Amino acid sequence: MTGEGSEKDRTGLDYEALSRRYAEERTKRLRPDAVRQYQALEGEFAGFDADPNASQNFRRDPVEREADVLVIGGGYGGLLTAAQLRKRGVDGIVMVEKGSDFGGTWYWNRYPGVRCDVESYIYVPLLEETGFVPSERYAKGAEIQQQCRLIAEKFDLYRGALFQTIAQRLTWSDADRRWLATTDRGDRISARFVVAATGLYSSPKLPGIPGIEAFEGPSFHTSRWDYDFTGGSADGDLAGLHDKTVGIIGTGSTGIQCVPPVARSAKHLYLFQRTPASVDVRGNRPTDVEWFRSQQPGWQHERMLNFTQWTSGLPQAVDMVADSMTDLFREKSLAAGVEMSPEERERAEIAKMERVRQRVDAIVKDRQTAEALKPYFHYFCKRPGFSDNYLQVFNRSNVTLVDTAGKGVEEVTPKGLVVAGREYDLDCIIYATGFDFMTSFTRESGLSIEGRGGRSLEEKWSNGAHTLYGMQTRDFPNFFVLSIVQAGTSINYLHTADAQSRYMAELIDHCLRNELATVEPTQEAEDEWVEQCVALSADRLAFFEKCTPSYFNFEGARPRAFELNSPYGGGPLAYFGALEEEIHRRFAGSLEFGG
Ligand code: N01
């Protein structure tokens, strides 16, 4: 970083000193076990994966089904794809979902305080089609799940859906030109096309802290919230905690949402922090229904696009969303009137983070606690957080921040947690420790997939994904993945899912109408896309190499898979353009069709 004295004079920020501090904080957190520091909710930890929202006694006989399209996953990705297929007249859809209802991430994550962190008018999809009006600018999780159900009803997706069912194995038959899917309930589903929409945050992880299994009280992951123990609901009022001392581990987007309601209800809350989150202004407010209803057809897509343009650093005449997510780009871009240079972007990020630190000072009264809550990393090293009631909890007498100075919790004992040699006695431990993300599609999805000639997808992608547009891969005909790996993604993931679902539905419909039995990428098209992804990932990798560890950078490691399992570096707008172009060309060129 350059600039030294003169930059400091103009902005009041010492970029060099901050850069050094960022690097020091990063070094504190690097660990040789990187992503291996976490463990899945399986084996001896399988109990953590039990679904608190569904009957554990649910039984049914295995079924045999024939489908045009099998959609695995009933979250927004699967729902959008199925809805787009229905819009094109595809009838034979079977959906398989692990939960007992639709909703995906919004089905599982019912922790107190759960909300959308992107404006709901651009996040909640198909608002115009479903007539759904989010009651607030940043909608509550329960409301979002309700809209998932509405999409399913509107597009008749409950018909034939198999809930509390886990798709396990997919086998392609060249002779039949179909996939055979088997499930944990013994079902056999024969399908022409398979869409794996298994979610970005569907595989919760626990920290590999020694002794987790030894804790004697209740403990659970935030995506499996135990309301039987805490009482209350996602709206708070957790009466079961009134006489309890609670420990929460994790201060990511989930932690900062669930901490305030727990703080209001618990006798005492100890929050165990490894890295402080950046917590900016939220500014939630009720929806102005008159404004909402006055929007013209096509408004939601226009607003989504406007947000993605702004957050891609492309200034527009108007910033429609105009919230804490777009302001970083807004000031600088409007002043310059042109796209920001990488250096300007970095400086804007540093200035933004400084304001986030100043906000901590303005809100948190105890100086030592305030210092510990200040994040020292580049703004986009982690998912930015927003809250108007998180920092405030540290002024409460029943809340203690246990800052682990980047080291994390050392040990779980039968009675509580240990940090810096001190044991904290707890009645309950809550793990807000996130999800396995972009490390391995087959592991995260739990799917074992055999393509042409018995070729295993796990093996093909053992060093990272090889795809065309992140969605298809050669030798696995008629198979699609919804993910952000090798796909251009907006901060608003639903914009990406919207573009991908349209593409898949167009392509599948094209095959069905034209009696094309199979479709897969040509080897050349796949190789070219992978090459492009690797070439364009250089800047992203260089940025994340400087970042404090997180799931975004494989916890600071740099495996080969990092290059391949990254989002498409050309950005969301170029990516959406490429998909549109394919649809426009009727898929000629990059794909190979079999009659
Ligand atoms: O998970 P995370 P999350 N000792 O991985 C800490 C989306 N989301 O569930 O930062 C102590 O971000 C870990 O510490 P560190 C959103 O995209 C969306 O919060 O690694 N602490 C970190 O603080 C988000 O990014 C919404 O040092 C330990 C935390 O656990 C993604 O989901 C809402 C530890 C994990 O944070 C995941 O967010 C919520 C240890 N040993 C989430 N090990 C919306 O509103 C781990 N940690 C849409």
Side-chain angles (χ1 to χ4, degrees):
M1 196 160 291
T2 56
E4 287 131 292
S6 60
E7 282 301 331
K8 186 177 171 183
D9 292 344
R10 191 153 51 83
T11 62
L13 284 174
D14 185 338
Y15 290 106
E16 291 248 318
L18 279 173
S19 252
R20 273 197 305 277
R21 176 80 194 263
Y22 284 15
E24 280 162 23
E25 294 293 333
R26 171 181 188 274
T27 307
K28 267 190 211 170
R29 291 170 173 79
L30 284 175
R31 351 183 339 161
D33 53 358
V35 292
R36 282 177 289 107
Q37 70 182 280
Y38 290 105
Q39 51 203 3
L41 276 52
E42 57 190 31
E44 64 179 312
F45 302 109
F48 278 88
D49 197 27
D51 181 353
N53 316 302
S55 159
Q56 301 303 308
N57 301 322
F58 174 70
R59 300 278 178 276
R60 66 166 172 78
D61 291 331
V63 298
E64 299 231 349
R65 293 269 167 85
E66 295 269 321
D68 286 326
V69 188
L70 165 65
V71 179
I72 304 172
Y76 270 139
L79 285 169
L80 278 177
T81 309
Q84 293 293 353
L85 285 165
R86 282 277 200 260
K87 279 187 182 186
R88 287 159 183 78
V90 178
D91 189 60
I93 299 174
V94 170
M95 297 192 72
V96 170
E97 164 56 44
K98 179 177 174 179
S100 62
D101 203 343
F102 288 111
T105 208
W106 302 104
Y107 170 90
W108 295 102
N109 288 282
R110 303 186 188 200
Y111 57 81
V114 60
R115 277 177 191 279
C116 183
D117 71 355
V118 171
E119 192 200 59
S120 44
Y121 317 135
I122 58 169
Y123 177 86
V124 178
L126 303 179
L127 286 180
E128 291 177 67
E129 287 87 338
T130 54
F132 188 80
V133 184
S135 63
E136 291 167 285
R137 194 172 185 204
Y138 302 95
K140 288 179 182 172
E143 196 173 301
I144 301 176
Q145 201 213 340
Q146 188 194 334
Q147 200 259 358
C148 289
R149 290 193 210 105
L150 205 60
I151 293 176
E153 277 160 19
K154 163 116 190 150
F155 293 96
D156 190 22
L157 300 173
Y158 278 99
R159 173 162 52 98
L162 299 172
F163 292 107
Q164 291 186 261
T165 302
I166 300 173
Q168 291 180 317
R169 195 178 169 85
L170 297 172
T171 316
W172 172 254
S173 161
D174 248 339
D176 300 336
R177 294 170 175 204
R178 295 180 80 89
W179 286 97
L180 174 68
T182 51
T183 75
D184 67 334
R185 294 197 180 268
D187 310 309
R188 293 170 64 83
I189 303 156
S190 163
R192 283 188 63 179
F193 297 89
V194 174
V195 176
T198 47
L200 305 187
Y201 301 110
S202 50
S203 183
K205 58 185 167 54
L206 290 172
I209 306 171
I212 283 196
E213 65 295 339
F215 183 64
E216 285 166 355
S219 57
F220 51 88
H221 189 272
T222 42
S223 65
R224 306 287 185 270
W225 195 272
D226 183 356
Y227 282 107
D228 284 346
F229 174 71
T230 66
S233 68
D235 288 330
D237 197 14
L238 311 166
L241 298 183
H242 287 172
D243 57 351
K244 301 288 188 297
T245 301
V246 178
I248 295 183
I249 302 181
T251 52
S253 307
T254 302
I256 67 170
Q257 287 187 334
C258 72
V259 158
V262 173
R264 282 193 293 272
S265 296
K267 181 173 89 181
H268 200 92
L269 167 64
Y270 287 99
L271 176 62
F272 294 84
Q273 171 183 276
R274 190 165 66 179
T275 307
S278 73
V279 187
D280 205 351
V281 173
R282 177 69 302 174
N284 198 11
R285 56 175 184 254
T287 296
D288 174 347
V289 177
E290 207 178 309
W291 164 82
F292 190 92
R293 297 213 188 281
S294 71
Q295 299 302 305
Q296 299 303 305
W299 72 272
Q300 189 180 24
H301 193 257
E302 195 190 339
R303 196 173 175 94
M304 257 186 183
L305 182 62
N306 183 268
F307 175 84
T308 298
Q309 286 165 327
W310 274 105
T311 50
S312 303
L314 290 175
Q316 305 296 305
V318 48
D319 177 2
M320 292 177 167
V321 172
D323 70 357
S324 297
M325 281 219 187
T326 59
D327 72 354
L328 186 157
F329 307 94
R330 196 168 58 236
E331 289 166 24
K332 195 80 189 174
S333 299
L334 277 182
V338 290
E339 196 174 333
M340 289 161 89
S341 70
E343 182 155 294
E344 280 177 325
R345 238 181 112 114
E346 189 174 351
R347 296 268 158 112
E349 276 185 34
I350 290 177
K352 169 95 170 180
M353 213 43 152
E354 184 64 15
R355 291 198 295 275
V356 165
R357 287 188 289 267
Q358 286 164 357
R359 184 166 184 255
V360 177
D361 271 335
I363 295 172
V364 179
K365 296 199 174 96
D366 178 74
R367 288 300 93 208
Q368 203 183 339
T369 306
E371 267 327 295
L373 284 166
K374 290 182 188 169
Y376 284 93
F377 49 81
H378 284 284
Y379 190 64
F380 285 116
C381 285
K382 287 177 178 272
R383 175 101 179 167
F386 307 91
S387 174
D388 292 338
N389 53 14
Y390 172 75
L391 293 170
Q392 288 77 355
V393 306
F394 299 99
N395 295 330
R396 296 177 66 103
S397 57
N398 72 329
V399 176
T400 306
L401 178 72
V402 183
D403 180 41
T404 68
K407 301 252 172 302
V409 172
E410 284 158 26
E411 193 187 342
V412 185
T413 68
K415 299 277 171 241
L417 296 173
V418 178
V419 172
R422 173 178 165 191
E423 184 176 17
Y424 293 82
D425 273 4
L426 303 168
D427 295 310
C428 163
I429 300 175
I430 299 169
Y431 293 97
T433 46
F435 304 84
D436 195 0
F437 184 71
M438 299 215 302
T439 54
S440 155
F441 165 74
T442 44
R443 192 177 55 238
E444 288 162 35
S445 65
L447 288 167
S448 154
I449 305 167
E450 271 181 28
R452 181 176 295 120
R455 186 163 190 200
S456 130
L457 187 63
E458 188 179 8
E459 189 214 299
K460 179 173 177 184
W461 288 2
S462 58
N463 288 320
H466 288 77
T467 74
L468 176 64
Y469 305 133
M471 287 184 274
Q472 286 175 280
T473 189
R474 188 160 175 84
D475 287 336
F476 296 80
N478 298 7
F479 175 69
F480 297 84
V481 176
L482 254 126
S483 140
I484 61 170
V485 168
Q486 296 184 2
T489 185
S490 167
I491 294 179
N492 176 18
Y493 167 65
L494 263 292
H495 195 178
T496 305
D498 177 68
Q500 291 183 326
S501 60
R502 284 171 203 270
Y503 174 87
M504 286 187 278
E506 278 290 326
L507 179 51
I508 292 172
D509 184 47
H510 176 75
C511 291
L512 291 172
R513 280 179 199 279
N514 295 291
E515 296 185 3
L516 300 165
T518 62
V519 59
E520 65 191 298
T522 64
Q523 192 61 56
E524 298 71 42
E526 182 172 306
D527 291 346
E528 208 179 291
W529 185 252
V530 171
E531 243 173 67
Q532 246 197 77
C533 286
V534 170
L536 290 170
S537 69
D539 283 353
R540 182 176 188 273
L541 293 185
F543 172 75
F544 278 111
E545 211 147 356
K546 291 190 290 183
C547 277
T548 193
S550 78
Y551 71 81
F552 279 165
N553 67 356
F554 285 67
E555 303 296 333
R558 194 180 168 165
R560 164 84 175 139
F562 192 8
E563 272 178 5
L564 292 169
N565 288 1
S566 287
Y568 169 68
L573 298 163
Y575 177 74
F576 301 158
L579 300 188
E580 285 298 322
E581 177 60 25
E582 283 287 350
I583 294 173
H584 185 70
R585 281 193 275 129
R586 302 316 291 154
F587 310 102
S590 331
L591 297 170
E592 192 171 298
F593 293 94

